[in-house]
Amino acid sequence: VAIYAAAKVHEVLGLKSHAEMLEEFSHMELFSLRKADSVNTLSCFDPSAMGLKLRNALAGRGYESSLVPTRGTSDAERLFHSVFVVQLAVLRRAKAGRIAKPRFLTARDRLSISDAMIY
């Protein structure tokens, strides 16, 4: 889900984004984190609630951090709910930024490279 979320941020908003495993974040990405960065933690497959602990620790120290809540009783329900929330968040950000078209449609030169590599 995190890789999908990062892809939507790249493709639709044209912003830098990347996914990191929750258990790896505190070993690596934490040390390059800047106050201007945002950390969105997905809790769909986090039975130990480490995502909430991370979100609270970051927010308590002045970092922009949010926890995407989970809904559903099965893994499939939690997965689809998280994907829906990610899509909605990206679309809301695009609307707030008055982005009329996804970045991949407006970056024609890069779209042709992508097409050549994929197809």
Side-chain angles (χ1 to χ4, degrees):
V1 175
I3 292 170
Y4 176 80
K8 295 302 113 187
V9 170
H10 285 283
E11 295 168 346
V12 176
L13 303 175
L15 299 174
K16 295 281 185 180
S17 179
H18 69 274
E20 187 67 54
M21 299 285 292
L22 182 58
E23 57 271 12
E24 297 300 326
F25 180 86
S26 297
H27 292 287
M28 298 184 313
E29 298 302 322
L30 179 61
F31 298 102
S32 64
L33 188 64
R34 294 179 174 88
K35 295 284 183 174
D37 295 337
S38 295
V39 176
N40 300 303
T41 305
L42 299 164
S43 64
C44 56
F45 302 109
D46 182 21
S48 63
M50 287 302 293
L52 177 61
K53 184 177 177 181
L54 175 63
R55 198 230 24 116
N56 291 342
L58 291 170
R61 289 165 178 83
Y63 291 93
E64 180 68 31
S65 182
S66 64
L67 180 71
V68 178
T70 189
R71 293 236 168 89
T73 55
S74 71
D75 286 349
E77 288 173 334
R78 289 190 291 275
L79 172 71
F80 282 108
H81 178 263
S82 296
V83 167
F84 175 76
V85 169
V86 163
Q87 291 172 337
L88 184 60
V90 169
L91 290 173
R92 283 185 175 169
R93 176 73 187 265
K95 185 177 179 181
R98 299 177 190 257
I99 298 172
K101 290 184 179 181
R103 180 68 177 146
F104 71 90
L105 291 179
T106 62
R108 293 277 182 207
D109 60 330
R110 285 168 271 177
L111 182 59
S112 66
I113 295 169
S114 175
D115 287 348
M117 297 301 294
I118 295 170
Y119 306 109

